[in-house]
Amino acid sequence: MKEITRREFIIVSTLAAGFAIAVQPISAQVINTNTQGLVAGEVKIPVEDGEIPAYRAMPARGTDFPVVLVVQEIFGVHEHLQDICRRFAKLGYLAIAPELFARQGDVSEMNDIQEIIAKVVSKVPDAQVMSDLDATVDWAQKSSKGNINKLGITGFCWGGRIVWLYAAYSPRVKAGVAWYGRLVSDSTSLTPKHPIDIAPYLKAPVLGLYGGKDNGIPNDTVERMRQALKQGNSGSEIVLYPDAPHGFFADYRPSYRKEQAEDGWRKLQTWFKEHGVG
């Protein structure tokens, strides 16, 4: 594989403005969290081969904030992910969402989900993602505002899978919350392991939030993950909302389910506080 130089590396140097094209039109129920009392906006994260953009939000006053990594869906760090960071900041967290597809391409300008998967998502190595998340944690610590001794991670869809993997990979993670991330898949050179493979070895507790009517994540794989988690002692749990589809937290899409989304958000806050993130 050809070594990437710093000049060649940066494909996506800034974050998307607004929502990704592939998710238009935006639903009327979209949540908008303001920046009053916050410091919020784009930052640059130094990584091994250059830098990647990220969205960061935190309270305008204070320091030593617990840190939450917010991991994107396949649509990148668009407005929805940025709003989630602001929601965390309103709760007293330093929340940061790095653009983990930066080397592979700009998904925000692509019209079709299959194009996004084929041209970008399928080319993102897990090892690269783990390294970039490590770099993001380092940045949060060096910013002088983040307390990485109180480190949590949450993610959605593609990012939900990453939550499980990073919680197994990084000893710094205190707790994770995975929203409908795929649990079972084939091993490839870029994605050698999946959540079910690492479930027995997890140290940090992860709360999985899944939909019983998710067409992409069959209920039997959720049950298999539950059984695999019982082989370890991480204290991880899975909640299955029987009537919820995939993407039930995504308030900008028709898949949004207000009741389940709000319940999951409450459970997330409780989970983090009970496990040292907050």
Side-chain angles (χ1 to χ4, degrees), residues 160-183:
R161 172 182 173 272
I162 296 300
V163 168
W164 292 104
L165 297 184
Y166 193 67
Y169 166 85
S170 173
R172 298 189 287 189
V173 172
K174 290 290 188 291
V177 178
W179 301 76
Y180 35 85
R182 181 170 291 186
L183 300 166

PDB file of all heavy atoms in Angstrom, residues 160-183:
ATOM      1  N   GLY A 160     -22.293   3.031  15.812  1.00  0.00           N
ATOM      2  CA  GLY A 160     -22.677   2.122  16.886  1.00  0.00           C
ATOM      3  C   GLY A 160     -21.770   0.909  16.936  1.00  0.00           C
ATOM      4  O   GLY A 160     -21.377   0.450  18.016  1.00  0.00           O
ATOM      5  N   ARG A 161     -21.438   0.379  15.762  1.00  0.00           N
ATOM      6  CA  ARG A 161     -20.487  -0.735  15.708  1.00  0.00           C
ATOM      7  C   ARG A 161     -19.127  -0.315  16.258  1.00  0.00           C
ATOM      8  O   ARG A 161     -18.490  -1.064  17.016  1.00  0.00           O
ATOM      9  CB  ARG A 161     -20.341  -1.210  14.258  1.00  0.00           C
ATOM     10  CG  ARG A 161     -19.244  -2.242  14.055  1.00  0.00           C
ATOM     11  CD  ARG A 161     -19.107  -2.645  12.588  1.00  0.00           C
ATOM     12  NE  ARG A 161     -17.949  -3.509  12.392  1.00  0.00           N
ATOM     13  CZ  ARG A 161     -16.717  -3.065  12.151  1.00  0.00           C
ATOM     14  NH1 ARG A 161     -16.469  -1.759  12.052  1.00  0.00           N
ATOM     15  NH2 ARG A 161     -15.713  -3.918  11.991  1.00  0.00           N
ATOM     16  N   ILE A 162     -18.705   0.893  15.906  1.00  0.00           N
ATOM     17  CA  ILE A 162     -17.408   1.391  16.356  1.00  0.00           C
ATOM     18  C   ILE A 162     -17.357   1.534  17.875  1.00  0.00           C
ATOM     19  O   ILE A 162     -16.316   1.311  18.493  1.00  0.00           O
ATOM     20  CB  ILE A 162     -17.080   2.732  15.671  1.00  0.00           C
ATOM     21  CG1 ILE A 162     -16.931   2.539  14.153  1.00  0.00           C
ATOM     22  CG2 ILE A 162     -15.830   3.370  16.261  1.00  0.00           C
ATOM     23  CD1 ILE A 162     -15.837   1.570  13.730  1.00  0.00           C
ATOM     24  N   VAL A 163     -18.470   1.888  18.494  1.00  0.00           N
ATOM     25  CA  VAL A 163     -18.507   2.006  19.958  1.00  0.00           C
ATOM     26  C   VAL A 163     -18.070   0.697  20.613  1.00  0.00           C
ATOM     27  O   VAL A 163     -17.222   0.691  21.513  1.00  0.00           O
ATOM     28  CB  VAL A 163     -19.919   2.402  20.454  1.00  0.00           C
ATOM     29  CG1 VAL A 163     -20.028   2.225  21.964  1.00  0.00           C
ATOM     30  CG2 VAL A 163     -20.226   3.842  20.073  1.00  0.00           C
ATOM     31  N   TRP A 164     -18.651  -0.403  20.178  1.00  0.00           N
ATOM     32  CA  TRP A 164     -18.269  -1.710  20.738  1.00  0.00           C
ATOM     33  C   TRP A 164     -16.768  -1.973  20.545  1.00  0.00           C
ATOM     34  O   TRP A 164     -16.075  -2.405  21.467  1.00  0.00           O
ATOM     35  CB  TRP A 164     -19.070  -2.820  20.062  1.00  0.00           C
ATOM     36  CG  TRP A 164     -20.532  -2.845  20.336  1.00  0.00           C
ATOM     37  CD1 TRP A 164     -21.540  -2.451  19.497  1.00  0.00           C
ATOM     38  CD2 TRP A 164     -21.196  -3.328  21.520  1.00  0.00           C
ATOM     39  NE1 TRP A 164     -22.772  -2.641  20.071  1.00  0.00           N
ATOM     40  CE2 TRP A 164     -22.588  -3.184  21.323  1.00  0.00           C
ATOM     41  CE3 TRP A 164     -20.738  -3.872  22.726  1.00  0.00           C
ATOM     42  CZ2 TRP A 164     -23.530  -3.558  22.275  1.00  0.00           C
ATOM     43  CZ3 TRP A 164     -21.669  -4.247  23.677  1.00  0.00           C
ATOM     44  CH2 TRP A 164     -23.038  -4.093  23.463  1.00  0.00           C
ATOM     45  N   LEU A 165     -16.286  -1.708  19.338  1.00  0.00           N
ATOM     46  CA  LEU A 165     -14.886  -2.016  19.028  1.00  0.00           C
ATOM     47  C   LEU A 165     -13.932  -1.136  19.823  1.00  0.00           C
ATOM     48  O   LEU A 165     -12.914  -1.617  20.351  1.00  0.00           O
ATOM     49  CB  LEU A 165     -14.632  -1.847  17.527  1.00  0.00           C
ATOM     50  CG  LEU A 165     -15.401  -2.783  16.595  1.00  0.00           C
ATOM     51  CD1 LEU A 165     -14.974  -2.548  15.148  1.00  0.00           C
ATOM     52  CD2 LEU A 165     -15.209  -4.248  16.972  1.00  0.00           C
ATOM     53  N   TYR A 166     -14.238   0.158  19.915  1.00  0.00           N
ATOM     54  CA  TYR A 166     -13.320   1.059  20.621  1.00  0.00           C
ATOM     55  C   TYR A 166     -13.342   0.803  22.124  1.00  0.00           C
ATOM     56  O   TYR A 166     -12.314   0.934  22.794  1.00  0.00           O
ATOM     57  CB  TYR A 166     -13.647   2.516  20.320  1.00  0.00           C
ATOM     58  CG  TYR A 166     -12.556   3.470  20.769  1.00  0.00           C
ATOM     59  CD1 TYR A 166     -11.307   3.453  20.136  1.00  0.00           C
ATOM     60  CD2 TYR A 166     -12.749   4.357  21.821  1.00  0.00           C
ATOM     61  CE1 TYR A 166     -10.285   4.299  20.546  1.00  0.00           C
ATOM     62  CE2 TYR A 166     -11.742   5.215  22.236  1.00  0.00           C
ATOM     63  CZ  TYR A 166     -10.509   5.185  21.595  1.00  0.00           C
ATOM     64  OH  TYR A 166      -9.488   6.025  22.019  1.00  0.00           O
ATOM     65  N   ALA A 167     -14.494   0.426  22.643  1.00  0.00           N
ATOM     66  CA  ALA A 167     -14.582   0.101  24.068  1.00  0.00           C
ATOM     67  C   ALA A 167     -13.717  -1.111  24.401  1.00  0.00           C
ATOM     68  O   ALA A 167     -13.178  -1.211  25.513  1.00  0.00           O
ATOM     69  CB  ALA A 167     -16.031  -0.163  24.461  1.00  0.00           C
ATOM     70  N   ALA A 168     -13.570  -2.021  23.448  1.00  0.00           N
ATOM     71  CA  ALA A 168     -12.697  -3.182  23.643  1.00  0.00           C
ATOM     72  C   ALA A 168     -11.234  -2.820  23.425  1.00  0.00           C
ATOM     73  O   ALA A 168     -10.339  -3.381  24.058  1.00  0.00           O
ATOM     74  CB  ALA A 168     -13.101  -4.307  22.701  1.00  0.00           C
ATOM     75  N   TYR A 169     -10.995  -1.869  22.539  1.00  0.00           N
ATOM     76  CA  TYR A 169      -9.638  -1.509  22.129  1.00  0.00           C
ATOM     77  C   TYR A 169      -8.938  -0.582  23.121  1.00  0.00           C
ATOM     78  O   TYR A 169      -7.759  -0.741  23.421  1.00  0.00           O
ATOM     79  CB  TYR A 169      -9.715  -0.851  20.749  1.00  0.00           C
ATOM     80  CG  TYR A 169      -8.495  -0.117  20.290  1.00  0.00           C
ATOM     81  CD1 TYR A 169      -7.447  -0.782  19.659  1.00  0.00           C
ATOM     82  CD2 TYR A 169      -8.383   1.265  20.478  1.00  0.00           C
ATOM     83  CE1 TYR A 169      -6.325  -0.092  19.223  1.00  0.00           C
ATOM     84  CE2 TYR A 169      -7.268   1.961  20.055  1.00  0.00           C
ATOM     85  CZ  TYR A 169      -6.241   1.282  19.434  1.00  0.00           C
ATOM     86  OH  TYR A 169      -5.131   1.962  19.012  1.00  0.00           O
ATOM     87  N   SER A 170      -9.669   0.408  23.622  1.00  0.00           N
ATOM     88  CA  SER A 170      -9.040   1.454  24.435  1.00  0.00           C
ATOM     89  C   SER A 170      -9.277   1.249  25.929  1.00  0.00           C
ATOM     90  O   SER A 170     -10.428   1.264  26.379  1.00  0.00           O
ATOM     91  CB  SER A 170      -9.570   2.834  24.042  1.00  0.00           C
ATOM     92  OG  SER A 170      -9.080   3.825  24.945  1.00  0.00           O
ATOM     93  N   PRO A 171      -8.224   1.140  26.719  1.00  0.00           N
ATOM     94  CA  PRO A 171      -8.388   0.998  28.167  1.00  0.00           C
ATOM     95  C   PRO A 171      -8.847   2.292  28.844  1.00  0.00           C
ATOM     96  O   PRO A 171      -9.190   2.282  30.025  1.00  0.00           O
ATOM     97  CB  PRO A 171      -6.982   0.597  28.640  1.00  0.00           C
ATOM     98  CG  PRO A 171      -6.055   1.150  27.609  1.00  0.00           C
ATOM     99  CD  PRO A 171      -6.795   1.079  26.309  1.00  0.00           C
ATOM    100  N   ARG A 172      -8.853   3.400  28.078  1.00  0.00           N
ATOM    101  CA  ARG A 172      -9.250   4.687  28.672  1.00  0.00           C
ATOM    102  C   ARG A 172     -10.758   4.874  28.719  1.00  0.00           C
ATOM    103  O   ARG A 172     -11.246   5.729  29.458  1.00  0.00           O
ATOM    104  CB  ARG A 172      -8.600   5.842  27.897  1.00  0.00           C
ATOM    105  CG  ARG A 172      -7.080   5.806  27.963  1.00  0.00           C
ATOM    106  CD  ARG A 172      -6.422   7.038  27.398  1.00  0.00           C
ATOM    107  NE  ARG A 172      -6.478   7.106  25.941  1.00  0.00           N
ATOM    108  CZ  ARG A 172      -5.818   7.997  25.203  1.00  0.00           C
ATOM    109  NH1 ARG A 172      -5.050   8.907  25.800  1.00  0.00           N
ATOM    110  NH2 ARG A 172      -5.917   8.000  23.895  1.00  0.00           N
ATOM    111  N   VAL A 173     -11.491   4.081  27.942  1.00  0.00           N
ATOM    112  CA  VAL A 173     -12.947   4.235  27.900  1.00  0.00           C
ATOM    113  C   VAL A 173     -13.572   3.710  29.192  1.00  0.00           C
ATOM    114  O   VAL A 173     -13.336   2.577  29.597  1.00  0.00           O
ATOM    115  CB  VAL A 173     -13.549   3.484  26.693  1.00  0.00           C
ATOM    116  CG1 VAL A 173     -15.073   3.484  26.758  1.00  0.00           C
ATOM    117  CG2 VAL A 173     -13.079   4.116  25.387  1.00  0.00           C
ATOM    118  N   LYS A 174     -14.400   4.564  29.814  1.00  0.00           N
ATOM    119  CA  LYS A 174     -15.109   4.156  31.028  1.00  0.00           C
ATOM    120  C   LYS A 174     -16.443   3.483  30.705  1.00  0.00           C
ATOM    121  O   LYS A 174     -16.891   2.588  31.413  1.00  0.00           O
ATOM    122  CB  LYS A 174     -15.361   5.372  31.924  1.00  0.00           C
ATOM    123  CG  LYS A 174     -14.103   5.934  32.572  1.00  0.00           C
ATOM    124  CD  LYS A 174     -13.571   4.977  33.628  1.00  0.00           C
ATOM    125  CE  LYS A 174     -12.432   5.602  34.416  1.00  0.00           C
ATOM    126  NZ  LYS A 174     -11.205   5.781  33.640  1.00  0.00           N
ATOM    127  N   ALA A 175     -17.111   3.948  29.643  1.00  0.00           N
ATOM    128  CA  ALA A 175     -18.419   3.394  29.272  1.00  0.00           C
ATOM    129  C   ALA A 175     -18.772   3.813  27.858  1.00  0.00           C
ATOM    130  O   ALA A 175     -18.282   4.836  27.350  1.00  0.00           O
ATOM    131  CB  ALA A 175     -19.510   3.857  30.247  1.00  0.00           C
ATOM    132  N   GLY A 176     -19.633   3.026  27.222  1.00  0.00           N
ATOM    133  CA  GLY A 176     -20.090   3.340  25.875  1.00  0.00           C
ATOM    134  C   GLY A 176     -21.583   3.114  25.736  1.00  0.00           C
ATOM    135  O   GLY A 176     -22.179   2.335  26.493  1.00  0.00           O
ATOM    136  N   VAL A 177     -22.171   3.801  24.768  1.00  0.00           N
ATOM    137  CA  VAL A 177     -23.570   3.580  24.401  1.00  0.00           C
ATOM    138  C   VAL A 177     -23.636   3.462  22.885  1.00  0.00           C
ATOM    139  O   VAL A 177     -23.304   4.403  22.161  1.00  0.00           O
ATOM    140  CB  VAL A 177     -24.495   4.702  24.896  1.00  0.00           C
ATOM    141  CG1 VAL A 177     -25.931   4.436  24.443  1.00  0.00           C
ATOM    142  CG2 VAL A 177     -24.429   4.826  26.415  1.00  0.00           C
ATOM    143  N   ALA A 178     -24.035   2.282  22.411  1.00  0.00           N
ATOM    144  CA  ALA A 178     -24.074   1.986  20.973  1.00  0.00           C
ATOM    145  C   ALA A 178     -25.519   1.976  20.488  1.00  0.00           C
ATOM    146  O   ALA A 178     -26.326   1.170  20.965  1.00  0.00           O
ATOM    147  CB  ALA A 178     -23.421   0.631  20.699  1.00  0.00           C
ATOM    148  N   TRP A 179     -25.815   2.859  19.555  1.00  0.00           N
ATOM    149  CA  TRP A 179     -27.151   2.933  18.968  1.00  0.00           C
ATOM    150  C   TRP A 179     -27.170   2.152  17.657  1.00  0.00           C
ATOM    151  O   TRP A 179     -26.524   2.537  16.688  1.00  0.00           O
ATOM    152  CB  TRP A 179     -27.539   4.383  18.699  1.00  0.00           C
ATOM    153  CG  TRP A 179     -27.555   5.282  19.901  1.00  0.00           C
ATOM    154  CD1 TRP A 179     -26.471   5.816  20.545  1.00  0.00           C
ATOM    155  CD2 TRP A 179     -28.710   5.774  20.598  1.00  0.00           C
ATOM    156  NE1 TRP A 179     -26.875   6.610  21.583  1.00  0.00           N
ATOM    157  CE2 TRP A 179     -28.249   6.601  21.648  1.00  0.00           C
ATOM    158  CE3 TRP A 179     -30.087   5.595  20.423  1.00  0.00           C
ATOM    159  CZ2 TRP A 179     -29.116   7.254  22.517  1.00  0.00           C
ATOM    160  CZ3 TRP A 179     -30.953   6.243  21.291  1.00  0.00           C
ATOM    161  CH2 TRP A 179     -30.469   7.062  22.333  1.00  0.00           C
ATOM    162  N   TYR A 180     -27.912   1.067  17.634  1.00  0.00           N
ATOM    163  CA  TYR A 180     -28.160   0.236  16.459  1.00  0.00           C
ATOM    164  C   TYR A 180     -26.946   0.062  15.544  1.00  0.00           C
ATOM    165  O   TYR A 180     -27.003   0.298  14.341  1.00  0.00           O
ATOM    166  CB  TYR A 180     -29.381   0.738  15.678  1.00  0.00           C
ATOM    167  CG  TYR A 180     -29.582   2.248  15.645  1.00  0.00           C
ATOM    168  CD1 TYR A 180     -28.937   3.051  14.714  1.00  0.00           C
ATOM    169  CD2 TYR A 180     -30.452   2.858  16.553  1.00  0.00           C
ATOM    170  CE1 TYR A 180     -29.144   4.415  14.685  1.00  0.00           C
ATOM    171  CE2 TYR A 180     -30.662   4.231  16.527  1.00  0.00           C
ATOM    172  CZ  TYR A 180     -29.999   5.003  15.603  1.00  0.00           C
ATOM    173  OH  TYR A 180     -30.202   6.364  15.580  1.00  0.00           O
ATOM    174  N   GLY A 181     -25.842  -0.369  16.150  1.00  0.00           N
ATOM    175  CA  GLY A 181     -24.654  -0.691  15.359  1.00  0.00           C
ATOM    176  C   GLY A 181     -24.644  -2.165  15.004  1.00  0.00           C
ATOM    177  O   GLY A 181     -25.001  -3.021  15.827  1.00  0.00           O
ATOM    178  N   ARG A 182     -24.234  -2.484  13.810  1.00  0.00           N
ATOM    179  CA  ARG A 182     -24.214  -3.883  13.366  1.00  0.00           C
ATOM    180  C   ARG A 182     -23.322  -4.708  14.271  1.00  0.00           C
ATOM    181  O   ARG A 182     -22.231  -4.300  14.663  1.00  0.00           O
ATOM    182  CB  ARG A 182     -23.726  -3.965  11.923  1.00  0.00           C
ATOM    183  CG  ARG A 182     -23.711  -5.384  11.377  1.00  0.00           C
ATOM    184  CD  ARG A 182     -23.467  -5.414   9.895  1.00  0.00           C
ATOM    185  NE  ARG A 182     -24.613  -4.878   9.155  1.00  0.00           N
ATOM    186  CZ  ARG A 182     -24.717  -4.900   7.826  1.00  0.00           C
ATOM    187  NH1 ARG A 182     -23.750  -5.422   7.100  1.00  0.00           N
ATOM    188  NH2 ARG A 182     -25.772  -4.386   7.234  1.00  0.00           N
ATOM    189  N   LEU A 183     -23.779  -5.908  14.577  1.00  0.00           N
ATOM    190  CA  LEU A 183     -23.105  -6.764  15.548  1.00  0.00           C
ATOM    191  C   LEU A 183     -22.370  -7.938  14.922  1.00  0.00           C
ATOM    192  O   LEU A 183     -21.369  -8.414  15.461  1.00  0.00           O
ATOM    193  CB  LEU A 183     -24.139  -7.309  16.552  1.00  0.00           C
ATOM    194  CG  LEU A 183     -24.893  -6.232  17.351  1.00  0.00           C
ATOM    195  CD1 LEU A 183     -26.107  -6.842  18.037  1.00  0.00           C
ATOM    196  CD2 LEU A 183     -23.961  -5.570  18.352  1.00  0.00           C
TER     197      LEU A 183
END
